[in-house]
Amino acid sequence: MSTTPNKNPPTYCRTGVVRGSYVKVFTPTINEENGKAEYSMTLLIPKEDVATMNAIKAACKAAVDAKWNGKPPQGLNTPWHDGNGPKPQGGEYGEECHGMWVINVKTTQQPTVVDANLQRVMEATQFVSGDWCRVALNAYAYDNKRKGVALGLGNIQVVRKGEPLGNKRSAESDFEAWAEEGGGSGEAGGDLPWM
């Protein structure tokens, strides 16, 4: 369940168990818009997790109220999107987003990643897209080319492995065990119709 400890600012929140996608938290990538090296991921939040969304919305409201003295301008961009609907930039979300809220989060400081027992996760293979986690977030309002509120990525706790997301196939799904027969090379013979 999402909680916001009293010692944290009102813009802070922590998710319940969410699914990570496009996980890039061990090595930064360059943001083409601002040139900064950033760590990022996409949160897939089950729609039934109302507590997490309420915590996120409360943190975002606090950021907006602080920025615009409780009088936000019209048409503010919010960070959450319906995984059953179209993407903001066009196109459709993948099947893994159906029944989820989709939120992109990033930071310029590398997050600390721990496992369920609070042991540091150091290897990128130990937390990949599709795994389930809890995430600390900090909401902030912005007013540049657009006006809106976004969520900064904080620390991450990996709670369980999930079905990997992405198009990368495993070698085991492409091949079966191979044993040479009769000393042959395993190459196709010359009697095929296109040879």
Side-chain angles (χ1 to χ4, degrees):
M1 181 174 177
S2 304
T3 59
T4 304
N6 292 332
K7 65 182 178 179
N8 292 302
T11 55
Y12 169 92
C13 66
R14 193 173 66 203
T15 71
V17 177
V18 302
R19 197 173 192 195
S21 182
Y22 296 100
V23 173
K24 300 174 186 174
V25 299
F26 295 97
T27 304
T29 55
I30 300 299
N31 182 324
E32 293 180 5
E33 289 185 16
N34 60 27
K36 294 180 180 178
E38 296 176 339
Y39 301 87
S40 62
M41 64 184 292
T42 299
L43 309 181
L44 304 181
I45 304 170
K47 287 188 175 178
E48 59 267 22
D49 187 356
V50 176
T52 287
M53 285 306 298
N54 285 345
I56 286 171
K57 288 177 179 180
C60 288
K61 182 180 185 310
V64 168
D65 286 348
K67 176 87 172 168
W68 287 287
N69 297 316
K71 298 178 181 178
Q74 293 292 318
L76 282 181
N77 289 319
T78 58
W80 54 86
H81 305 283
D82 188 340
N84 292 341
K87 292 181 178 180
Q89 302 84 7
E92 297 293 323
Y93 283 109
E95 186 177 333
E96 72 279 2
C97 299
H98 295 173
M100 304 280 193
W101 293 108
V102 180
I103 301 178
N104 296 317
V105 294
K106 61 186 177 181
T107 181
T108 56
Q109 297 183 353
Q110 184 172 11
T112 298
V113 183
V114 297
D115 65 16
N117 297 314
L118 301 182
Q119 300 300 306
R120 290 288 292 269
V121 174
M122 306 299 288
E123 297 293 327
T125 56
Q126 295 177 302
F127 178 46
V128 299
S129 297
D131 291 344
W132 295 83
C133 58
R134 299 194 307 159
V135 183
L137 302 168
N138 190 63
Y140 61 94
Y142 57 87
D143 183 358
N144 39 48
K145 294 178 183 176
R146 296 169 293 185
K147 293 181 173 71
V149 61
L151 291 159
L153 174 61
N155 297 317
I156 302 161
Q157 182 181 38
V158 183
V159 297
R160 68 175 180 267
K161 299 299 286 180
E163 184 71 25
L165 297 175
N167 296 325
K168 182 170 173 53
R169 293 169 53 97
S170 69
E172 292 81 5
S173 67
D174 279 335
F175 305 106
E176 67 281 345
W178 179 263
E180 294 288 344
E181 294 183 17
S185 66
E187 295 295 322
D191 58 347
L192 295 175
W194 55 82
M195 297 300 281

